[in-house]
Amino acid sequence: MQLIPHADQIPVHWSWFQVLLLLTFLIHIILVNFILGGSVLTLIDVIRGKTISKASSGIPTLIALTINFGVPPLLFIQVLYGQFFYSSSVIMAVPWILIIPVLIVAYYGAYYFVYKINSKTVLAKTGLFISTLILLVIAFLYVNNITLMLHPQDWGKYFRSTGGMNLNFSEPTLWPRYLHFIVASIAVAGIGKALFAYFDKKSDKELRNQEINSGLKIFSYATLVQIAVGVWFLLVLPGKITWMFLGRNGLATILLGIAVLLLIPTLIYSFRQNFRYTISGILLILILMILIRDLLRKFYLGEVFRLSDLEISGKYGSLILFLGAFIIGIASVYYMIRLITSSKKQ
């Protein structure tokens, strides 16, 4: 198609970037779920007048980690699908670029809430409300961009409105995909709440168990809602893509089938308050969902682009430099987390 820009050369085989994209996105999406779902759950507790969970104190730190771990997958999606991602970003340029300043506001709101909740209660709660609302809007804009990049055949209609304010409201999968994202975030945040309580050795054992059970309960009921949203999402996909996951493509069918089969015992374990088996199950399901998501993107773009079409320059220097910087970055983040946790124990 003439509207699709020519893909740039990549330095090494695309599989390197594919693996790195999936790996870094897994880390990023877990953190996104923790912060987005955690903010929603904390706001609900505030509205209901309930005691704020200790896990909520980590919201500002999680926002910072989420932003930092969002850079690598963003880079890799641009390397592999740059001609699509850049184009969709330009189509919705104004709201997309505004994500940066409003994210700063969200971070400040979360920070203010955590550190002023006991002294300036009303303002702190307002900060949490604004922060949560902004995070929900950013998630909506992200889903808009991802769906826009998958439909290059529709880009032409946006030449009638060149102000960079175009959102993808006509896309049938926009709302189910968005709800799929939000409900999943709440479910995983429930796991995050349980995980925080599990490692919080300073709290009373009974209180820790209550928090763990509360987190597992949130995960259980949110996952039941997620099943309904997931079925809706699957059914509104283009027919040929839906059938890819229902038998026409072996890999897609197997991955979806395994995810569904894993979901059943994971839900049972969560209702039975079995923390360790629930954690194991949800981690495997998250990995499968990321693989399914990657296949979905390939099915959408398959008629106009395949990763094997990318030209390779054979220059490994940039990849080696990145991997070195990435390892140092991971080690630095780990060291900072150790410093934070050790200071809280003293």
Side-chain angles (χ1 to χ4, degrees), residues 67-113:
I67 293 170
N68 281 281
F69 277 103
V71 174
L74 182 64
L75 291 175
F76 294 130
I77 197 73
Q78 291 171 357
V79 169
L80 294 175
Y81 299 97
Q83 67 272 40
F84 300 98
F85 186 79
Y86 282 125
S87 298
S88 59
S89 299
V90 170
I91 288 170
M92 54 172 292
V94 175
W96 187 249
I97 200 67
L98 285 175
I99 287 177
I100 298 173
V102 298
L103 185 56
I104 295 172
V105 175
Y107 177 75
Y108 183 80
Y111 194 93
Y112 192 85
F113 167 75

mmCIF file of all heavy atoms in Angstrom, residues 67-113:
data_model
loop_
_atom_site.group_PDB
_atom_site.id
_atom_site.type_symbol
_atom_site.label_atom_id
_atom_site.label_comp_id
_atom_site.label_asym_id
_atom_site.label_seq_id
_atom_site.Cartn_x
_atom_site.Cartn_y
_atom_site.Cartn_z
ATOM 1 N N ILE A 67 7.384 3.607 33.859
ATOM 2 C CA ILE A 67 7.854 4.493 32.784
ATOM 3 C C ILE A 67 9.198 4.006 32.254
ATOM 4 O O ILE A 67 9.417 3.921 31.040
ATOM 5 C CB ILE A 67 7.948 5.938 33.283
ATOM 6 C CG1 ILE A 67 6.550 6.489 33.594
ATOM 7 C CG2 ILE A 67 8.644 6.827 32.248
ATOM 8 C CD1 ILE A 67 6.556 7.822 34.308
ATOM 9 N N ASN A 68 10.112 3.700 33.165
ATOM 10 C CA ASN A 68 11.447 3.258 32.748
ATOM 11 C C ASN A 68 11.412 1.930 32.003
ATOM 12 O O ASN A 68 12.097 1.763 30.984
ATOM 13 C CB ASN A 68 12.362 3.148 33.971
ATOM 14 C CG ASN A 68 12.893 4.494 34.426
ATOM 15 O OD1 ASN A 68 13.828 5.026 33.855
ATOM 16 N ND2 ASN A 68 12.268 5.064 35.441
ATOM 17 N N PHE A 69 10.612 0.990 32.479
ATOM 18 C CA PHE A 69 10.526 -0.303 31.805
ATOM 19 C C PHE A 69 9.625 -0.259 30.574
ATOM 20 O O PHE A 69 9.536 -1.237 29.840
ATOM 21 C CB PHE A 69 10.029 -1.377 32.781
ATOM 22 C CG PHE A 69 11.117 -1.955 33.646
ATOM 23 C CD1 PHE A 69 11.257 -1.573 34.966
ATOM 24 C CD2 PHE A 69 12.014 -2.886 33.124
ATOM 25 C CE1 PHE A 69 12.261 -2.093 35.761
ATOM 26 C CE2 PHE A 69 13.022 -3.415 33.903
ATOM 27 C CZ PHE A 69 13.150 -3.018 35.224
ATOM 28 N N GLY A 70 8.968 0.889 30.337
ATOM 29 C CA GLY A 70 8.185 1.036 29.116
ATOM 30 C C GLY A 70 9.030 1.457 27.928
ATOM 31 O O GLY A 70 8.614 1.289 26.770
ATOM 32 N N VAL A 71 10.228 1.979 28.194
ATOM 33 C CA VAL A 71 11.084 2.452 27.100
ATOM 34 C C VAL A 71 11.559 1.310 26.193
ATOM 35 O O VAL A 71 11.448 1.414 24.961
ATOM 36 C CB VAL A 71 12.281 3.249 27.663
ATOM 37 C CG1 VAL A 71 13.262 3.607 26.550
ATOM 38 C CG2 VAL A 71 11.791 4.518 28.364
ATOM 39 N N PRO A 72 12.103 0.199 26.741
ATOM 40 C CA PRO A 72 12.588 -0.873 25.842
ATOM 41 C C PRO A 72 11.529 -1.444 24.901
ATOM 42 O O PRO A 72 11.771 -1.517 23.684
ATOM 43 C CB PRO A 72 13.126 -1.928 26.825
ATOM 44 C CG PRO A 72 13.492 -1.157 28.042
ATOM 45 C CD PRO A 72 12.464 -0.081 28.146
ATOM 46 N N PRO A 73 10.324 -1.855 25.389
ATOM 47 C CA PRO A 73 9.350 -2.376 24.425
ATOM 48 C C PRO A 73 8.898 -1.334 23.411
ATOM 49 O O PRO A 73 8.594 -1.676 22.262
ATOM 50 C CB PRO A 73 8.184 -2.847 25.306
ATOM 51 C CG PRO A 73 8.365 -2.168 26.610
ATOM 52 C CD PRO A 73 9.831 -1.969 26.776
ATOM 53 N N LEU A 74 8.862 -0.056 23.837
ATOM 54 C CA LEU A 74 8.512 1.002 22.886
ATOM 55 C C LEU A 74 9.560 1.110 21.786
ATOM 56 O O LEU A 74 9.229 1.266 20.599
ATOM 57 C CB LEU A 74 8.385 2.336 23.630
ATOM 58 C CG LEU A 74 7.970 3.545 22.780
ATOM 59 C CD1 LEU A 74 6.572 3.354 22.223
ATOM 60 C CD2 LEU A 74 8.048 4.830 23.610
ATOM 61 N N LEU A 75 10.827 0.984 22.151
ATOM 62 C CA LEU A 75 11.901 1.007 21.157
ATOM 63 C C LEU A 75 11.807 -0.171 20.200
ATOM 64 O O LEU A 75 11.965 -0.021 18.984
ATOM 65 C CB LEU A 75 13.263 1.010 21.854
ATOM 66 C CG LEU A 75 13.644 2.271 22.630
ATOM 67 C CD1 LEU A 75 14.970 2.058 23.367
ATOM 68 C CD2 LEU A 75 13.759 3.463 21.687
ATOM 69 N N PHE A 76 11.530 -1.358 20.747
ATOM 70 C CA PHE A 76 11.502 -2.558 19.906
ATOM 71 C C PHE A 76 10.294 -2.587 18.979
ATOM 72 O O PHE A 76 10.385 -3.094 17.858
ATOM 73 C CB PHE A 76 11.551 -3.813 20.779
ATOM 74 C CG PHE A 76 12.844 -3.970 21.531
ATOM 75 C CD1 PHE A 76 12.853 -4.220 22.899
ATOM 76 C CD2 PHE A 76 14.061 -3.853 20.875
ATOM 77 C CE1 PHE A 76 14.045 -4.344 23.591
ATOM 78 C CE2 PHE A 76 15.262 -3.973 21.562
ATOM 79 C CZ PHE A 76 15.249 -4.220 22.922
ATOM 80 N N ILE A 77 9.161 -2.046 19.441
ATOM 81 C CA ILE A 77 8.001 -1.994 18.548
ATOM 82 C C ILE A 77 8.275 -1.026 17.399
ATOM 83 O O ILE A 77 7.817 -1.214 16.266
ATOM 84 C CB ILE A 77 6.721 -1.589 19.320
ATOM 85 C CG1 ILE A 77 5.463 -1.931 18.518
ATOM 86 C CG2 ILE A 77 6.696 -0.116 19.650
ATOM 87 C CD1 ILE A 77 5.139 -3.366 18.459
ATOM 88 N N GLN A 78 9.076 0.012 17.671
ATOM 89 C CA GLN A 78 9.437 0.959 16.621
ATOM 90 C C GLN A 78 10.445 0.357 15.653
ATOM 91 O O GLN A 78 10.419 0.655 14.459
ATOM 92 C CB GLN A 78 10.004 2.232 17.255
ATOM 93 C CG GLN A 78 8.963 3.044 18.006
ATOM 94 C CD GLN A 78 9.561 4.180 18.809
ATOM 95 O OE1 GLN A 78 10.769 4.344 18.857
ATOM 96 N NE2 GLN A 78 8.717 4.966 19.452
ATOM 97 N N VAL A 79 11.337 -0.498 16.163
ATOM 98 C CA VAL A 79 12.304 -1.158 15.290
ATOM 99 C C VAL A 79 11.602 -2.131 14.348
ATOM 100 O O VAL A 79 11.884 -2.168 13.137
ATOM 101 C CB VAL A 79 13.365 -1.903 16.125
ATOM 102 C CG1 VAL A 79 14.215 -2.802 15.229
ATOM 103 C CG2 VAL A 79 14.259 -0.908 16.858
ATOM 104 N N LEU A 80 10.673 -2.906 14.877
ATOM 105 C CA LEU A 80 10.036 -3.968 14.083
ATOM 106 C C LEU A 80 8.847 -3.457 13.270
ATOM 107 O O LEU A 80 8.613 -3.920 12.151
ATOM 108 C CB LEU A 80 9.577 -5.098 15.003
ATOM 109 C CG LEU A 80 10.688 -5.874 15.714
ATOM 110 C CD1 LEU A 80 10.090 -6.886 16.680
ATOM 111 C CD2 LEU A 80 11.590 -6.582 14.709
ATOM 112 N N TYR A 81 8.078 -2.536 13.840
ATOM 113 C CA TYR A 81 6.853 -2.073 13.183
ATOM 114 C C TYR A 81 6.824 -0.546 13.089
ATOM 115 O O TYR A 81 5.749 0.055 13.142
ATOM 116 C CB TYR A 81 5.621 -2.556 13.954
ATOM 117 C CG TYR A 81 5.494 -4.058 14.043
ATOM 118 C CD1 TYR A 81 5.946 -4.747 15.170
ATOM 119 C CD2 TYR A 81 4.911 -4.796 13.013
ATOM 120 C CE1 TYR A 81 5.834 -6.126 15.265
ATOM 121 C CE2 TYR A 81 4.788 -6.177 13.094
ATOM 122 C CZ TYR A 81 5.258 -6.829 14.224
ATOM 123 O OH TYR A 81 5.134 -8.199 14.314
ATOM 124 N N GLY A 82 7.993 0.058 12.950
ATOM 125 C CA GLY A 82 8.090 1.517 12.971
ATOM 126 C C GLY A 82 7.223 2.215 11.952
ATOM 127 O O GLY A 82 6.594 3.238 12.252
ATOM 128 N N GLN A 83 7.140 1.667 10.734
ATOM 129 C CA GLN A 83 6.375 2.333 9.683
ATOM 130 C C GLN A 83 4.881 2.373 9.999
ATOM 131 O O GLN A 83 4.149 3.233 9.499
ATOM 132 C CB GLN A 83 6.619 1.662 8.323
ATOM 133 C CG GLN A 83 6.078 0.243 8.183
ATOM 134 C CD GLN A 83 7.064 -0.805 8.636
ATOM 135 O OE1 GLN A 83 7.752 -0.635 9.629
ATOM 136 N NE2 GLN A 83 7.131 -1.918 7.907
ATOM 137 N N PHE A 84 4.422 1.462 10.843
ATOM 138 C CA PHE A 84 3.019 1.451 11.255
ATOM 139 C C PHE A 84 2.812 2.276 12.524
ATOM 140 O O PHE A 84 1.876 3.069 12.620
ATOM 141 C CB PHE A 84 2.556 0.009 11.496
ATOM 142 C CG PHE A 84 2.677 -0.863 10.279
ATOM 143 C CD1 PHE A 84 3.770 -1.700 10.111
ATOM 144 C CD2 PHE A 84 1.712 -0.836 9.287
ATOM 145 C CE1 PHE A 84 3.900 -2.497 8.989
ATOM 146 C CE2 PHE A 84 1.822 -1.627 8.163
ATOM 147 C CZ PHE A 84 2.924 -2.461 8.002
ATOM 148 N N PHE A 85 3.694 2.088 13.507
ATOM 149 C CA PHE A 85 3.546 2.765 14.792
ATOM 150 C C PHE A 85 3.750 4.273 14.652
ATOM 151 O O PHE A 85 2.999 5.057 15.233
ATOM 152 C CB PHE A 85 4.527 2.189 15.810
ATOM 153 C CG PHE A 85 4.352 2.730 17.199
ATOM 154 C CD1 PHE A 85 3.339 2.253 18.010
ATOM 155 C CD2 PHE A 85 5.191 3.723 17.690
ATOM 156 C CE1 PHE A 85 3.169 2.756 19.292
ATOM 157 C CE2 PHE A 85 5.030 4.223 18.967
ATOM 158 C CZ PHE A 85 4.017 3.733 19.772
ATOM 159 N N TYR A 86 4.762 4.691 13.887
ATOM 160 C CA TYR A 86 4.990 6.120 13.696
ATOM 161 C C TYR A 86 3.814 6.761 12.957
ATOM 162 O O TYR A 86 3.394 7.878 13.282
ATOM 163 C CB TYR A 86 6.283 6.364 12.917
ATOM 164 C CG TYR A 86 7.535 6.223 13.738
ATOM 165 C CD1 TYR A 86 8.545 5.351 13.351
ATOM 166 C CD2 TYR A 86 7.721 6.954 14.909
ATOM 167 C CE1 TYR A 86 9.704 5.207 14.104
ATOM 168 C CE2 TYR A 86 8.869 6.822 15.662
ATOM 169 C CZ TYR A 86 9.863 5.949 15.259
ATOM 170 O OH TYR A 86 11.001 5.817 16.007
ATOM 171 N N SER A 87 3.280 6.060 11.973
ATOM 172 C CA SER A 87 2.163 6.607 11.195
ATOM 173 C C SER A 87 0.930 6.798 12.067
ATOM 174 O O SER A 87 0.281 7.851 12.023
ATOM 175 C CB SER A 87 1.836 5.677 10.018
ATOM 176 O OG SER A 87 2.937 5.579 9.129
ATOM 177 N N SER A 88 0.590 5.790 12.859
ATOM 178 C CA SER A 88 -0.584 5.910 13.733
ATOM 179 C C SER A 88 -0.371 6.992 14.788
ATOM 180 O O SER A 88 -1.311 7.691 15.170
ATOM 181 C CB SER A 88 -0.888 4.562 14.398
ATOM 182 O OG SER A 88 0.206 4.105 15.178
ATOM 183 N N SER A 89 0.877 7.144 15.243
ATOM 184 C CA SER A 89 1.183 8.188 16.237
ATOM 185 C C SER A 89 1.000 9.582 15.647
ATOM 186 O O SER A 89 0.536 10.501 16.338
ATOM 187 C CB SER A 89 2.614 8.034 16.757
ATOM 188 O OG SER A 89 2.801 6.788 17.405
ATOM 189 N N VAL A 90 1.352 9.751 14.373
ATOM 190 C CA VAL A 90 1.173 11.048 13.702
ATOM 191 C C VAL A 90 -0.311 11.330 13.496
ATOM 192 O O VAL A 90 -0.768 12.471 13.655
ATOM 193 C CB VAL A 90 1.926 11.075 12.361
ATOM 194 C CG1 VAL A 90 1.545 12.305 11.550
ATOM 195 C CG2 VAL A 90 3.429 11.040 12.595
ATOM 196 N N ILE A 91 -1.067 10.302 13.157
ATOM 197 C CA ILE A 91 -2.507 10.472 12.935
ATOM 198 C C ILE A 91 -3.196 11.024 14.186
ATOM 199 O O ILE A 91 -4.087 11.855 14.107
ATOM 200 C CB ILE A 91 -3.142 9.128 12.499
ATOM 201 C CG1 ILE A 91 -2.711 8.786 11.072
ATOM 202 C CG2 ILE A 91 -4.666 9.188 12.588
ATOM 203 C CD1 ILE A 91 -3.091 7.387 10.638
ATOM 204 N N MET A 92 -2.775 10.557 15.371
ATOM 205 C CA MET A 92 -3.347 11.042 16.637
ATOM 206 C C MET A 92 -2.280 11.822 17.416
ATOM 207 O O MET A 92 -2.148 11.692 18.639
ATOM 208 C CB MET A 92 -3.878 9.876 17.466
ATOM 209 C CG MET A 92 -2.889 8.765 17.728
ATOM 210 S SD MET A 92 -3.510 7.523 18.909
ATOM 211 C CE MET A 92 -3.555 8.468 20.421
ATOM 212 N N ALA A 93 -1.532 12.657 16.715
ATOM 213 C CA ALA A 93 -0.331 13.295 17.262
ATOM 214 C C ALA A 93 -0.587 14.121 18.517
ATOM 215 O O ALA A 93 0.183 14.054 19.481
ATOM 216 C CB ALA A 93 0.311 14.183 16.197
ATOM 217 N N VAL A 94 -1.660 14.916 18.541
ATOM 218 C CA VAL A 94 -1.886 15.839 19.661
ATOM 219 C C VAL A 94 -2.142 15.089 20.964
ATOM 220 O O VAL A 94 -1.434 15.304 21.958
ATOM 221 C CB VAL A 94 -3.027 16.826 19.343
ATOM 222 C CG1 VAL A 94 -3.342 17.689 20.562
ATOM 223 C CG2 VAL A 94 -2.650 17.700 18.152
ATOM 224 N N PRO A 95 -3.142 14.197 21.014
ATOM 225 C CA PRO A 95 -3.333 13.462 22.279
ATOM 226 C C PRO A 95 -2.151 12.568 22.624
ATOM 227 O O PRO A 95 -1.842 12.378 23.805
ATOM 228 C CB PRO A 95 -4.603 12.637 22.037
ATOM 229 C CG PRO A 95 -4.792 12.611 20.567
ATOM 230 C CD PRO A 95 -4.197 13.862 20.052
ATOM 231 N N TRP A 96 -1.455 12.047 21.613
ATOM 232 C CA TRP A 96 -0.325 11.161 21.876
ATOM 233 C C TRP A 96 0.819 11.916 22.545
ATOM 234 O O TRP A 96 1.402 11.447 23.518
ATOM 235 C CB TRP A 96 0.139 10.504 20.576
ATOM 236 C CG TRP A 96 1.182 9.453 20.766
ATOM 237 C CD1 TRP A 96 2.487 9.499 20.390
ATOM 238 C CD2 TRP A 96 1.009 8.174 21.398
ATOM 239 N NE1 TRP A 96 3.148 8.346 20.730
ATOM 240 C CE2 TRP A 96 2.260 7.507 21.352
ATOM 241 C CE3 TRP A 96 -0.071 7.527 21.980
ATOM 242 C CZ2 TRP A 96 2.448 6.233 21.877
ATOM 243 C CZ3 TRP A 96 0.113 6.252 22.508
ATOM 244 C CH2 TRP A 96 1.361 5.622 22.457
ATOM 245 N N ILE A 97 1.141 13.102 22.056
ATOM 246 C CA ILE A 97 2.253 13.867 22.637
ATOM 247 C C ILE A 97 1.872 14.434 23.999
ATOM 248 O O ILE A 97 2.739 14.668 24.864
ATOM 249 C CB ILE A 97 2.712 14.999 21.674
ATOM 250 C CG1 ILE A 97 4.131 15.468 22.032
ATOM 251 C CG2 ILE A 97 1.741 16.154 21.708
ATOM 252 C CD1 ILE A 97 5.204 14.450 21.800
ATOM 253 N N LEU A 98 0.577 14.643 24.228
ATOM 254 C CA LEU A 98 0.119 15.167 25.516
ATOM 255 C C LEU A 98 0.248 14.139 26.641
ATOM 256 O O LEU A 98 0.130 14.500 27.821
ATOM 257 C CB LEU A 98 -1.332 15.646 25.415
ATOM 258 C CG LEU A 98 -1.552 16.977 24.687
ATOM 259 C CD1 LEU A 98 -3.040 17.271 24.566
ATOM 260 C CD2 LEU A 98 -0.832 18.115 25.400
ATOM 261 N N ILE A 99 0.466 12.880 26.279
ATOM 262 C CA ILE A 99 0.634 11.845 27.297
ATOM 263 C C ILE A 99 1.783 12.200 28.245
ATOM 264 O O ILE A 99 1.697 11.972 29.464
ATOM 265 C CB ILE A 99 0.888 10.468 26.647
ATOM 266 C CG1 ILE A 99 -0.415 9.936 26.033
ATOM 267 C CG2 ILE A 99 1.435 9.461 27.656
ATOM 268 C CD1 ILE A 99 -0.257 8.616 25.302
ATOM 269 N N ILE A 100 2.850 12.776 27.703
ATOM 270 C CA ILE A 100 4.037 13.069 28.526
ATOM 271 C C ILE A 100 3.724 14.076 29.636
ATOM 272 O O ILE A 100 3.956 13.783 30.822
ATOM 273 C CB ILE A 100 5.200 13.548 27.639
ATOM 274 C CG1 ILE A 100 5.601 12.443 26.659
ATOM 275 C CG2 ILE A 100 6.391 13.958 28.508
ATOM 276 C CD1 ILE A 100 6.616 12.879 25.625
ATOM 277 N N PRO A 101 3.179 15.268 29.324
ATOM 278 C CA PRO A 101 2.895 16.209 30.423
ATOM 279 C C PRO A 101 1.825 15.726 31.394
ATOM 280 O O PRO A 101 1.947 15.950 32.607
ATOM 281 C CB PRO A 101 2.463 17.490 29.699
ATOM 282 C CG PRO A 101 2.082 17.067 28.322
ATOM 283 C CD PRO A 101 2.931 15.891 28.002
ATOM 284 N N VAL A 102 0.780 15.069 30.888
ATOM 285 C CA VAL A 102 -0.275 14.623 31.814
ATOM 286 C C VAL A 102 0.215 13.469 32.685
ATOM 287 O O VAL A 102 -0.252 13.294 33.819
ATOM 288 C CB VAL A 102 -1.572 14.235 31.064
ATOM 289 C CG1 VAL A 102 -2.144 15.429 30.318
ATOM 290 C CG2 VAL A 102 -1.374 13.054 30.142
ATOM 291 N N LEU A 103 1.159 12.675 32.173
ATOM 292 C CA LEU A 103 1.734 11.608 32.986
ATOM 293 C C LEU A 103 2.527 12.194 34.157
ATOM 294 O O LEU A 103 2.520 11.635 35.265
ATOM 295 C CB LEU A 103 2.638 10.717 32.127
ATOM 296 C CG LEU A 103 3.233 9.470 32.798
ATOM 297 C CD1 LEU A 103 2.138 8.589 33.368
ATOM 298 C CD2 LEU A 103 4.080 8.690 31.799
ATOM 299 N N ILE A 104 3.181 13.314 33.922
ATOM 300 C CA ILE A 104 3.892 14.009 35.004
ATOM 301 C C ILE A 104 2.898 14.457 36.080
ATOM 302 O O ILE A 104 3.149 14.325 37.282
ATOM 303 C CB ILE A 104 4.678 15.205 34.447
ATOM 304 C CG1 ILE A 104 5.797 14.712 33.512
ATOM 305 C CG2 ILE A 104 5.268 16.048 35.580
ATOM 306 C CD1 ILE A 104 6.511 15.824 32.770
ATOM 307 N N VAL A 105 1.742 14.963 35.638
ATOM 308 C CA VAL A 105 0.697 15.365 36.582
ATOM 309 C C VAL A 105 0.195 14.157 37.373
ATOM 310 O O VAL A 105 -0.018 14.245 38.594
ATOM 311 C CB VAL A 105 -0.467 16.042 35.832
ATOM 312 C CG1 VAL A 105 -1.619 16.365 36.794
ATOM 313 C CG2 VAL A 105 0.004 17.314 35.136
ATOM 314 N N ALA A 106 0.013 13.023 36.685
ATOM 315 C CA ALA A 106 -0.443 11.801 37.357
ATOM 316 C C ALA A 106 0.556 11.352 38.408
ATOM 317 O O ALA A 106 0.177 10.935 39.516
ATOM 318 C CB ALA A 106 -0.664 10.691 36.335
ATOM 319 N N TYR A 107 1.828 11.430 38.068
ATOM 320 C CA TYR A 107 2.874 11.043 39.019
ATOM 321 C C TYR A 107 2.838 11.947 40.245
ATOM 322 O O TYR A 107 2.914 11.470 41.390
ATOM 323 C CB TYR A 107 4.245 11.114 38.349
ATOM 324 C CG TYR A 107 5.390 10.790 39.282
ATOM 325 C CD1 TYR A 107 5.646 9.477 39.663
ATOM 326 C CD2 TYR A 107 6.191 11.808 39.793
ATOM 327 C CE1 TYR A 107 6.690 9.187 40.533
ATOM 328 C CE2 TYR A 107 7.237 11.523 40.656
ATOM 329 C CZ TYR A 107 7.478 10.205 41.022
ATOM 330 O OH TYR A 107 8.495 9.923 41.894
ATOM 331 N N TYR A 108 2.715 13.241 40.030
ATOM 332 C CA TYR A 108 2.679 14.185 41.149
ATOM 333 C C TYR A 108 1.439 13.936 42.015
ATOM 334 O O TYR A 108 1.510 13.984 43.250
ATOM 335 C CB TYR A 108 2.683 15.623 40.646
ATOM 336 C CG TYR A 108 2.710 16.635 41.772
ATOM 337 C CD1 TYR A 108 3.902 16.939 42.425
ATOM 338 C CD2 TYR A 108 1.535 17.265 42.190
ATOM 339 C CE1 TYR A 108 3.927 17.859 43.478
ATOM 340 C CE2 TYR A 108 1.552 18.177 43.238
ATOM 341 C CZ TYR A 108 2.751 18.466 43.875
ATOM 342 O OH TYR A 108 2.764 19.356 44.919
ATOM 343 N N GLY A 109 0.284 13.671 41.361
ATOM 344 C CA GLY A 109 -0.938 13.402 42.112
ATOM 345 C C GLY A 109 -0.802 12.177 43.003
ATOM 346 O O GLY A 109 -1.235 12.178 44.164
ATOM 347 N N ALA A 110 -0.191 11.105 42.459
ATOM 348 C CA ALA A 110 0.013 9.887 43.245
ATOM 349 C C ALA A 110 0.991 10.136 44.387
ATOM 350 O O ALA A 110 0.791 9.668 45.516
ATOM 351 C CB ALA A 110 0.541 8.778 42.336
ATOM 352 N N TYR A 111 2.036 10.880 44.092
ATOM 353 C CA TYR A 111 3.047 11.209 45.110
ATOM 354 C C TYR A 111 2.415 12.029 46.237
ATOM 355 O O TYR A 111 2.647 11.763 47.430
ATOM 356 C CB TYR A 111 4.184 11.993 44.444
ATOM 357 C CG TYR A 111 5.432 12.124 45.278
ATOM 358 C CD1 TYR A 111 6.477 11.203 45.166
ATOM 359 C CD2 TYR A 111 5.589 13.171 46.184
ATOM 360 C CE1 TYR A 111 7.626 11.325 45.933
ATOM 361 C CE2 TYR A 111 6.729 13.300 46.952
ATOM 362 C CZ TYR A 111 7.745 12.381 46.817
ATOM 363 O OH TYR A 111 8.878 12.503 47.581
ATOM 364 N N TYR A 112 1.602 13.012 45.875
ATOM 365 C CA TYR A 112 0.952 13.871 46.859
ATOM 366 C C TYR A 112 -0.001 13.049 47.729
ATOM 367 O O TYR A 112 -0.081 13.249 48.953
ATOM 368 C CB TYR A 112 0.196 14.991 46.156
ATOM 369 C CG TYR A 112 -0.271 16.090 47.081
ATOM 370 C CD1 TYR A 112 0.572 17.139 47.413
ATOM 371 C CD2 TYR A 112 -1.550 16.064 47.623
ATOM 372 C CE1 TYR A 112 0.163 18.151 48.282
ATOM 373 C CE2 TYR A 112 -1.972 17.064 48.490
ATOM 374 C CZ TYR A 112 -1.120 18.095 48.813
ATOM 375 O OH TYR A 112 -1.522 19.078 49.674
ATOM 376 N N PHE A 113 -0.738 12.137 47.103
ATOM 377 C CA PHE A 113 -1.674 11.292 47.854
ATOM 378 C C PHE A 113 -0.948 10.471 48.912
ATOM 379 O O PHE A 113 -1.363 10.426 50.075
ATOM 380 C CB PHE A 113 -2.419 10.357 46.893
ATOM 381 C CG PHE A 113 -3.159 9.249 47.598
ATOM 382 C CD1 PHE A 113 -4.341 9.512 48.269
ATOM 383 C CD2 PHE A 113 -2.665 7.945 47.593
ATOM 384 C CE1 PHE A 113 -5.025 8.495 48.932
ATOM 385 C CE2 PHE A 113 -3.335 6.936 48.250
ATOM 386 C CZ PHE A 113 -4.520 7.213 48.928
#
